[in-house]
Amino acid sequence: MEAVKDSLENLSTSDVQVKVIHTGAGGINESDIMLASASNAIIVGFNVRPDAKAASLAEREGVDIELYSVIYEAINDVRKALEGLLAPTFNEKVLGRAEVRGVFKASKVGSIAGCYVIDGMMSRASSGVRVIRDSVVVYESKIASLKRFKEDVREVQTGFECGILVDNFNEIKVGDILENYIIEKVATKLSD
């Protein structure tokens, strides 16, 4: 029992803590349920079952009972639960870049950038687009429209021309670079 307790408590990090509030031998009883309910805890049992009264009380009190016959499965499940409590990290991935080679004014929509995709791809499904002028980001927004030969498209690959309307930005200039990116959510993992 001590080895299991130590293994579970060693999963703690500076962000999340595992606290074992009670250990004991034998089946899961009503007093175990009441302690878990009062402590807002879960019950982890190894090769034991709750008696009928305890199971009924756990359901009424909303206490989770996790039953295992293999110790490492319990430790892995607690690790996954803790990882779910950690805030995810976000990574930015550049999808592609396009060079503005012409600017077309449309009275109802604004300035449309006539672009040539120089790297990767331009995609409407991206998280955003940056307007870069002389290596400085001058505006950041979303792609409002992406066209190829007057047809709406989802993406345009390297080596192709396209028309891009940057949402709420009309000061686009020839020579600007449009950088298309996505933000990926990455689950934080506990270290082993």
Side-chain angles (χ1 to χ4, degrees):
M1 203 174 323
E2 278 302 309
V4 174
K5 179 183 173 191
D6 290 344
S7 294
L8 291 173
E9 288 179 339
N10 284 337
L11 294 175
S12 296
T13 68
S14 60
D15 296 325
V16 290
Q17 296 272 321
V18 174
K19 290 184 181 176
V20 177
I21 56 174
H22 174 67
T23 60
I28 298 167
N29 58 40
E30 290 174 280
S31 65
D32 296 328
I33 303 300
M34 293 310 293
L35 178 60
S37 178
S39 305
N40 196 21
I42 65 167
I43 295 176
V44 177
F46 294 97
N47 293 321
V48 295
R49 310 289 304 168
D51 61 33
K53 288 181 180 178
S56 173
L57 181 60
E59 192 171 320
R60 282 196 313 272
E61 294 289 324
V63 173
D64 287 335
I65 301 175
E66 303 294 332
L67 303 172
Y68 298 94
S69 58
V70 180
I71 292 173
Y72 76 85
E73 287 176 356
I75 294 167
N76 284 340
D77 283 357
V78 171
R79 177 188 318 253
K80 288 176 188 170
L82 291 176
E83 288 172 354
L85 295 174
L86 294 173
T89 56
F90 296 93
N91 289 339
E92 179 184 298
K93 178 181 175 189
V94 174
L95 294 176
R97 288 187 281 285
E99 180 183 356
V100 178
R101 295 201 170 162
V103 178
F104 308 96
K105 304 282 185 189
S107 59
K108 293 184 180 178
V109 292
S111 298
I112 299 168
C115 298
Y116 179 79
V117 182
I118 55 176
D119 180 24
M121 71 171 173
M122 301 305 286
S123 172
R124 273 191 306 161
S126 66
S127 300
V129 64
R130 289 186 191 92
V131 179
I132 302 170
R133 187 175 296 149
D134 299 323
S135 299
V136 176
V137 176
V138 294
Y139 194 74
E140 198 162 337
S141 187
K142 292 193 173 285
I143 293 178
S145 174
L146 181 63
K147 294 185 181 258
R148 180 143 166 76
F149 298 118
K150 298 187 181 186
E151 296 290 323
D152 283 319
V153 293
R154 290 186 178 167
E155 60 186 44
V156 179
Q157 298 291 329
T158 302
F160 291 98
E161 295 177 338
C162 60
I164 299 175
L165 178 63
V166 177
D167 197 30
N168 295 321
F169 188 69
N170 288 318
E171 287 78 46
I172 202 93
K173 293 184 179 178
V174 172
D176 286 351
I177 300 294
L178 301 182
E179 185 176 71
N180 197 18
Y181 62 91
I182 58 171
I183 303 292
E184 297 175 315
K185 183 171 151 180
V186 180
T188 305
K189 298 283 185 192
L190 292 172
S191 58
D192 291 329

